[in-house]
Amino acid sequence: MDKLGLKENRVHGSVMFPLGTYTMICQRGDKILDCHWHDEWEFLMVTAGQALFQIETSYYEVHAGQAIFVDGSSIHAGYSHNNSPCIYRAVVFDPVILSSNSCDNLQIKFIDPFIKRHYVLPNFIAGRSDWERRIIHHLSSILNVCATIPLGYELTVKARLLLILSEFVKNNHGMQADDSLVNNYKSEQMKKVLNYIHTNYSRKIVIKSLCEQISMSEGHFCRLFKKMMRQTPIEYINAYRINTAAQLLKETNHNVLEISMSVGFDNLSYFDSLFKKRMRCTPLEYRNTKQVLRQKLN
């Protein structure tokens, strides 16, 4: 995942089959999933341990054998729950993969309404009912077949995705999108603010400038930001700057002072302190560790 931008620009799968699968192993205290969004749909299934996942302003405790669904454009993140290690697996795909080439009944009645967000799917798959367990089974099958890539695996994957959609529809879990309009509005407002931060992080940013992006009072804005991001605006800005600095430490030969100034810090001691708190090492230790790792890989 690209930590330098809230919108993920990673290519999943290929143009001809836009689907990717991933396995993430998180130790105690590890960051589970940075806050981001993308146009693709995503299933996240916990296979060991537990994690706390955020989708917009809702939070879900997800244990082994449970999953969440994230539709395109929803801001989402993952956090360690009770300092527990966890393993989760992801299926990320462009929903166009479900579409037919013609406007048949399948496309008109089921696929288009979900792609166009006339209906939205539930976020939490608890695995308690038979239909939820069938969805978990289909997800496991997709992950396994994508790991081995047998001949015709694309057919199996698409068939399983359609079976998952069928389980949602059969069990009346396609919700009216109107129920989520308020959250969608909040999400769009937040994206405007985050895009402003990502464009101007190297300069001085004040809360007033952020509020002006969405015509909101400072008090209301700070409450909304903290609710959606689990950080204050200043904490988010600093974290974004530190992530950017970490990338520059890996990819350039600029010294620490130059990097700290280029990402918006005018005090080297403050930069060092924040970097160590977030990355658990000093900037120089981080650079040296990454250099050693690259040498081993080469």
Side-chain angles (χ1 to χ4, degrees), residues 185 188-190 192-193 209-216 221 224:
Y185 174 75
E188 291 306 313
Q189 294 290 85
M190 192 56 58
K192 292 178 184 178
V193 172
S209 297
L210 301 179
C211 297
E212 288 172 350
Q213 303 306 306
I214 53 176
S215 301
M216 190 177 290
F221 167 74
L224 174 63

Side-chain angles (χ1 to χ4, degrees), residues 240-255:
Y240 187 83
R241 286 169 169 165
I242 294 299
N243 285 339
T244 306
Q247 197 72 16
L248 292 172
L249 285 165
K250 284 193 298 183
E251 297 177 353
T252 75
N253 293 319
H254 299 315
N255 64 46

Side-chain angles (χ1 to χ4, degrees), residues 121-138:
L121 299 173
N123 294 126
F124 186 42
I125 306 164
R128 299 189 183 103
S129 62
D130 288 341
W131 70 269
E132 288 178 307
R133 285 191 286 272
R134 285 193 292 269
I135 287 176
I136 297 297
H137 171 72
H138 294 319

Side-chain angles (χ1 to χ4, degrees), residues 102-115:
S102 59
C103 291
D104 57 15
N105 229 22
L106 174 65
Q107 190 72 30
I108 294 169
K109 289 177 64 177
F110 304 111
I111 306 301
D112 279 347
F114 287 108
I115 289 179

Side-chain angles (χ1 to χ4, degrees), residues 121-180:
L121 299 173
N123 294 126
F124 186 42
I125 306 164
R128 299 189 183 103
S129 62
D130 288 341
W131 70 269
E132 288 178 307
R133 285 191 286 272
R134 285 193 292 269
I135 287 176
I136 297 297
H137 171 72
H138 294 319
L139 287 174
S140 297
S141 175
I142 290 170
L143 289 160
N144 292 337
V145 78
C146 285
T148 55
I149 314 182
L151 180 64
Y153 83 101
E154 298 96 334
L155 290 169
T156 300
V157 170
K158 182 168 182 175
R160 293 287 186 181
L161 289 173
L162 289 171
L163 284 169
I164 289 172
L165 186 61
S166 173
E167 290 293 344
F168 281 128
V169 172
K170 284 190 302 183
N171 291 279
N172 299 313
H173 286 278
M175 301 184 300
Q176 289 284 353
D178 290 346
D179 296 339
S180 62

